[in-house]
Structures are given as C-alpha cells and as structure tokens.
Amino acid sequence: LEHLRSLEPAEVPSDLLLNSESASLAHIAASRGHLDCLAALRDAGQPLTLLDNEASSPLHKACAQGHLA
C-alpha cells in the first residue's frame, strides 16, 4: 500500500491490465475489499471504471464478493 501511495499519476498506466481476463489493479483490489488500495490507485490516476472481459467494473467485482458500502 505504501508503494501505491508513493506513485505519481504518470507512473500508473491507465490501461494496466494484469491477466488474461483484462482485470486491472483496481479490479483485483475491489474484489478483495481493499478500499485503501483503491483510494491509492484513484489518487495515482488509475481509472476505476475500466471493464474486464466480463464487462465488469471494479465496483461490480466488489459487490459480487459481498463488499458493499
């Protein structure tokens, strides 16, 4: 988390995809309920609205795993 917080917006590519399902860092953090990581990604300029191969946003992934606010 500290590493994420130290990133400058230009250091986090907005299209950074991590796996064959087109999941971004935001998708993974959301699905695991890591709100602090999501905030750090947002603050570093990572879009939180990218869709994965299932047309799911990070918010969809969070809700599907029961991480409701």
Side-chain angles (χ1 to χ4, degrees):
L1 179 59
E2 288 305 316
H3 181 69
L4 288 175
R5 287 185 179 143
S6 70
L7 294 174
E8 294 295 324
E11 295 178 310
V12 182
S14 62
D15 61 348
L16 180 65
L17 303 176
L18 296 180
N19 60 28
S20 62
E21 296 160 0
S22 297
S24 67
L25 289 172
H27 285 92
I28 294 167
S31 70
R32 295 179 183 173
H34 297 300
L35 296 179
D36 49 351
C37 290
L38 280 171
L41 289 167
R42 179 203 60 218
D43 294 347
Q46 179 74 26
L48 302 181
T49 56
L50 290 175
L51 301 180
D52 63 11
N53 285 350
E54 298 174 339
S56 295
S57 70
L59 177 61
H60 293 124
K61 295 297 186 184
C63 291
Q65 295 300 316
H67 304 296
L68 308 172

